[in-house]
Amino acid sequence: MDAQSYTAALADLRGVRDEIKKARATLARLETQRDKQIGLLAGHDKAKAERIAPAAGLSLAEIVALVPALAPDGLAADTPEKAPALGAASAAPDQPGDGTNLLAAEAPGAVAPAMNTPAQKTAPAQATPADAQTRHTAAQPSAGMPAEQGAPRTLPSIPDGAAGQGWFTHTANLLSQRPNFTQQARSTVFLDTDTGVLVHRSQTHRLSLGAGTAAEILTAVFHTVPEGVERIYITAGDPWHRDADRYPYLRDAVTAWLNAPTPGWRTDTGRGRDRMAGHFVHARHPVGRYQRENADSHVEIRSVGEWFDADGDDPHIVRDAFVLLWQALRRHWSDAVVMGSPSQTGRDLWTRTIPQRGQYAEGYPVLSEELRGLLHATAGQGRTELITPPQVPDQLPQLVEYDRTFAYAKHTWKSPVGTPRRVTAAAFAAWSEKEQMRALYGCGHWQVRVTVPGTWQHVGLLPAPGERAWHYPSTPGTTFTTWAGGPEIHTALANPITPWKVEILDGILWEDGKPLDDWAKKLKETWTNLTAQAHFQGASQQSRAAHLASRAVRAILLYGIGSFAQRPRMVTGTTPRTLERDVPPDAEIIGFDDEQITWQKPTGFSRDPNAHPEWAAAIWSGARAALLTQRHRDDNTYAGALHTPPGSVIAFRTDALYLTQPEPWPYHHQPGDYLLKGHLASPVTAPTTEEELLTLRDAGRAALAQTAGEA
């Protein structure tokens, strides 16, 4: 095979790869449709797994796994409801050790104590026995929860003995420390690529951008503005999407745009303290990093959508928003600098709140790589779940959206610090009930075996590993093994309806500390001040700028917390087509053209001194728990999904809750309060896909805004 044939064959192979991507997407959609149909069939009182299995092309066991209520009599002994319970008194394992070397589903557990529940007057009315039987039969995985399909993925466990104990330490010579330098500001311009309007300081220019390639943007900007511009914010136009129709996925279009030829420029390789190098490929908010050939001139092209939704605002308002943001931050941090992204800004500001005296004056140590990897695999972020018929009516009487205002800011007051310790099932069982409750109230991450109560008629409480993501089992009698944070475990044991059975298999327990409290308080005060400016500002342009600035503060906290999680890194690179053999052997080719090949490969965890996934995990767990139940002390009442009637919850989306009826929950403009965000007062068809839900969400927001305007 000659070189030309080899190149042609590679192109054909990549075409096959793209076809496989499309086929997999189609297959996933069909499997979702099939499983939804199985759920509908299971609602029939004479439904039998033996008849459904051949019609679905599945085995009897697969049907029973999807719909436990369809288990034939001969398999009844294998269902969760009739499986023997494993409690603290279970027989010891045959092999030596503490039992953690067994499979998590088989390991003996220690039953956690039931806790005091909120006042029963706040709990929703329970369904009648007839309703309970109906829901038990019909509660199936929905099309909106694909993670429940197929075999669940296996979550990692801590090894037994000395190997596992070796995880409970910190990475040597790696600490989060207060910086001893002043962050330098970057000269920034704001560009609308639809209109060509460029704003630089107080000056406005109109550019001709041609097709909107990176090369044309760089040429036009640097022809108009003097040398020294280091950051170009795109406020509208999304130029990286202009050829999206030519690619099967947006990410492919973005990759091609970032890596197109830029005469006179090359991909940036970083400089000085700034280790950010190479392009960042993101479907909607990419970052292009470029450096002049034979010169020390660096520039970023970024999307302002990382900070807030500009929603058609012209570049002048966007620039005013960044100026207001900087001024507001300077009231709390004299050396504050608005960096390229909210996550960079958030972490930089946090490091400047690290105490200069006291226990952690030398810095906060970083966990071992093993514990960071465990938290990465077992601590999810926001809860995203769509509940579809037959679990909810086909026709919804209304659709109401509640959104928790600045939600994560409410859960930063307590975070795990210090050297963590392991709590095995045997150790937990040996504690007094008071010690057990104190541990579960503390900063911990627990491996548990959970059983849904036989009378349960509401949404799921704890995340379980699905095939591709997390889901929330709610079928009565279901038993599953998972990891969860202390706030969620507490909710399962002290919810307003009935306690769940939770068996502790293993756990990680830290001291309680406040490493984020000062940082979060300053951001909350900044957010409050900007929100007040937006509300009371007379000039509409300044009011809008203040609103956008307040949204930017939210992004700083939200993405700052996310950056502590420090996911394993994925590096993107390019190699000339003439040197194809130099593509790293473990890299995945994600794009190519006549001149170069674009690839990406995982590089594991970097030596990031600010990697604290334990903080992100604790906040995310608290936020998910607050979606279920949250106390308002001043009003002596509760809010959340568990304080609604069974069957009225339609969806969860990170901080938002979608219901079939309004709720009288208090709203005082405080972080964590439930804000009424949208309301469709007329009956609507229940959404069965995320796209349908988002369409209804937008319609509900528009309807509520119109109602408020008329009032």
Side-chain angles (χ1 to χ4, degrees):
M1 177 181 286
D2 57 22
Q4 185 175 0
S5 299
Y6 178 72
T7 301
L10 277 177
D12 290 340
L13 181 60
R14 293 175 185 121
V16 172
R17 176 202 64 194
D18 293 340
E19 289 299 320
I20 290 173
K21 282 185 180 179
K22 294 179 183 178
R24 284 177 175 164
T26 301
L27 177 61
R29 186 171 64 254
L30 290 173
E31 287 178 339
T32 297
Q33 182 179 346
R34 176 200 65 195
D35 293 347
K36 178 186 175 184
Q37 193 66 25
I38 292 172
L40 291 172
L41 290 170
H44 184 53
D45 56 359
K46 294 185 179 180
K48 292 185 178 181
E50 298 92 326
R51 293 196 63 188
I52 296 176
L58 298 176
S59 68
L60 193 62
E62 288 171 320
I63 294 295
V64 172
L66 281 170
V67 191
L70 291 180
D73 294 339
L75 297 179
D78 297 328
T79 62
E81 292 177 300
K82 302 200 177 178
L86 288 171
S90 300
D94 294 335
Q95 58 264 60
D98 56 12
T100 55
N101 53 358
L102 296 176
L103 291 175
E106 302 170 351
V111 179
M115 299 182 178
N116 293 330
T117 61
Q120 290 300 313
K121 67 180 181 180
T122 66
Q126 287 292 303
T128 64
D131 293 336
Q133 179 61 37
T134 300
R135 284 186 55 79
H136 177 78
T137 303
Q140 311 305 335
S142 72
M145 297 182 289
E148 292 197 53
Q149 302 161 15
R153 67 191 190 282
T154 301
L155 298 180
S157 299
I158 304 171
D160 197 6
Q165 197 57 40
W167 291 18
F168 288 75
T169 183
H170 293 107
T171 301
N173 304 315
L174 194 62
L175 302 96
S176 303
Q177 295 179 309
R178 193 182 184 100
N180 57 5
F181 63 93
T182 300
Q183 195 67 251
Q184 297 300 307
R186 300 279 181 89
S187 177
T188 303
V189 298
F190 300 87
L191 174 64
D192 183 331
T193 58
D194 278 338
T195 64
V197 172
L198 175 79
V199 175
H200 176 234
R201 299 195 177 119
S202 59
Q203 298 179 336
T204 302
H205 308 272
R206 189 172 295 274
L207 310 184
S208 176
L209 299 175
T213 65
E216 289 169 313
I217 290 173
L218 292 171
T219 299
V221 169
F222 282 89
H223 178 74
T224 306
V225 179
E227 292 287 338
V229 170
E230 297 174 277
R231 185 175 298 135
I232 302 170
Y233 273 125
I234 306 299
T235 64
D238 296 342
W240 38 80
H241 290 162
R242 293 193 176 179
D243 289 332
D245 292 343
R246 295 172 51 194
Y247 299 90
Y249 300 102
L250 274 181
R251 184 182 174 87
D252 296 338
V254 170
T255 300
W257 188 88
L258 289 171
N259 291 291
T262 50
W265 298 83
R266 59 184 172 86
T267 303
D268 200 348
T269 56
R271 53 178 166 160
R273 295 180 183 276
D274 187 356
R275 298 178 183 177
M276 303 300 289
H279 303 314
F280 174 64
V281 180
H282 186 280
R284 303 203 176 272
H285 306 306
V287 181
R289 299 186 178 99
Y290 302 93
Q291 180 178 354
R292 273 199 190 277
E293 296 282 4
N294 306 316
D296 190 32
S297 179
H298 306 255
V299 64
E300 292 180 332
I301 300 178
R302 310 189 72 112
S303 167
V304 80
E306 294 180 82
W307 292 88
F308 43 70
D309 182 3
D311 196 24
D313 294 301
D314 67 49
H316 301 87
I317 293 179
V318 174
R319 179 185 177 274
D320 288 347
F322 275 89
V323 172
L324 285 174
L325 172 65
W326 174 75
Q327 292 171 341
L329 292 174
R330 282 275 172 145
R331 296 188 181 98
H332 298 283
W333 287 276
S334 60
D335 54 354
V337 169
V338 178
M339 301 179 70
S341 70
S343 60
Q344 289 174 302
T345 307
R347 290 218 296 186
D348 180 70
L349 293 176
W350 172 75
T351 60
R352 298 173 194 279
T353 64
I354 294 175
Q356 295 177 286
R357 58 178 60 89
Q359 182 179 1
Y360 293 102
E362 295 183 2
Y364 291 95
V366 174
L367 292 177
S368 69
E369 186 166 326
E370 291 83 1
L371 277 187
R372 281 184 280 149
L374 179 74
L375 287 165
H376 164 64
T378 61
Q381 191 173 351
R383 178 170 180 170
T384 301
E385 181 183 18
L386 175 61
I387 304 171
T388 60
Q391 292 174 275
V392 297
D394 290 316
Q395 287 292 313
L396 308 180
Q398 302 179 62
L399 185 66
V400 187
E401 178 192 8
Y402 286 97
D403 186 72
R404 296 187 65 229
T405 298
F406 204 15
Y408 286 0
K410 189 176 178 66
H411 305 287
T412 55
W413 63 277
K414 181 177 75 171
S415 301
V417 294
T419 303
R421 57 184 172 128
R422 184 177 189 178
V423 181
T424 63
F428 188 86
W431 287 348
S432 67
E433 183 172 307
K434 184 177 181 180
E435 290 173 315
Q436 291 177 344
M437 293 179 68
R438 185 185 302 119
L440 294 175
Y441 271 115
C443 293
H445 190 60
W446 304 93
Q447 186 179 31
V448 292
R449 183 167 47 245
V450 184
T451 302
V452 182
T455 58
W456 191 255
Q457 306 303 320
H458 224 298
V459 297
L461 303 187
L462 292 172
E467 183 181 12
R468 295 178 294 277
W470 300 95
H471 66 106
Y472 294 79
S474 60
T475 303
T478 299
T479 295
F480 59 96
T481 301
T482 190
W483 284 84
E488 292 167 285
I489 300 295
H490 177 264
T491 298
L493 295 169
N495 69 78
I497 300 174
T498 187
W500 283 30
K501 181 181 179 182
V502 177
E503 301 171 74
I504 302 298
L505 304 177
D506 212 340
I508 309 168
L509 192 60
W510 289 267
E511 299 172 17
D512 295 353
K514 293 181 176 293
L516 304 177
D517 194 44
D518 184 35
W519 173 72
K521 282 181 177 177
K522 290 178 177 179
L523 288 177
K524 282 187 279 189
E525 289 180 19
T526 304
W527 172 80
T528 299
N529 290 336
L530 288 169
T531 301
Q533 284 187 53
H535 183 70
F536 294 109
Q537 185 64 248
S540 59
Q541 181 168 324
Q542 284 300 303
S543 174
R544 178 63 179 170
H547 170 73
L548 293 179
S550 73
R551 299 297 293 173
V553 175
R554 174 186 178 276
I556 288 173
L557 186 133
L558 176 68
Y559 295 116
I561 290 169
S563 70
F564 288 125
Q566 197 238 359
R567 304 302 190 187
R569 297 181 66 190
M570 186 73 73
V571 172
T572 302
T574 59
T575 300
R577 284 289 293 267
T578 56
L579 300 175
E580 186 163 348
R581 67 184 64 185
D582 292 340
V583 173
D586 56 343
E588 175 191 2
I589 295 175
I590 58 176
F592 68 95
D593 56 28
D594 293 338
E595 297 184 5
Q596 61 187 12
I597 299 168
T598 306
W599 48 264
Q600 67 178 14
K601 70 170 187 174
T603 60
F605 292 100
S606 64
R607 281 186 61 83
D608 184 350
N610 295 321
H612 292 286
E614 68 277 20
W615 297 348
I619 291 168
W620 293 340
S621 178
R624 290 193 299 268
L627 276 178
L628 298 169
T629 178
Q630 173 178 283
R631 184 182 179 189
H632 290 263
R633 296 180 183 276
D634 294 342
D635 300 277
N636 192 29
T637 189
Y638 293 83
L642 294 182
H643 303 279
T644 67
S648 64
V649 178
I650 302 302
F652 298 88
R653 279 184 60 81
T654 309
D655 301 331
L657 191 59
Y658 296 82
L659 308 173
T660 59
Q661 64 181 47
E663 294 290 342
W665 295 336
Y667 184 74
H668 303 300
H669 302 275
Q670 295 298 311
D673 285 359
Y674 280 89
L675 170 67
L676 178 62
K677 200 78 173 284
H679 187 188
L680 289 174
S682 302
V684 296
T685 302
T688 58
T689 66
E690 182 181 31
E691 183 179 2
E692 291 176 358
L693 175 66
L694 295 180
T695 299
L696 290 175
R697 178 201 67 182
D698 294 343
R701 291 179 179 180
L704 183 64
Q706 181 178 356
T707 301
E710 293 172 352

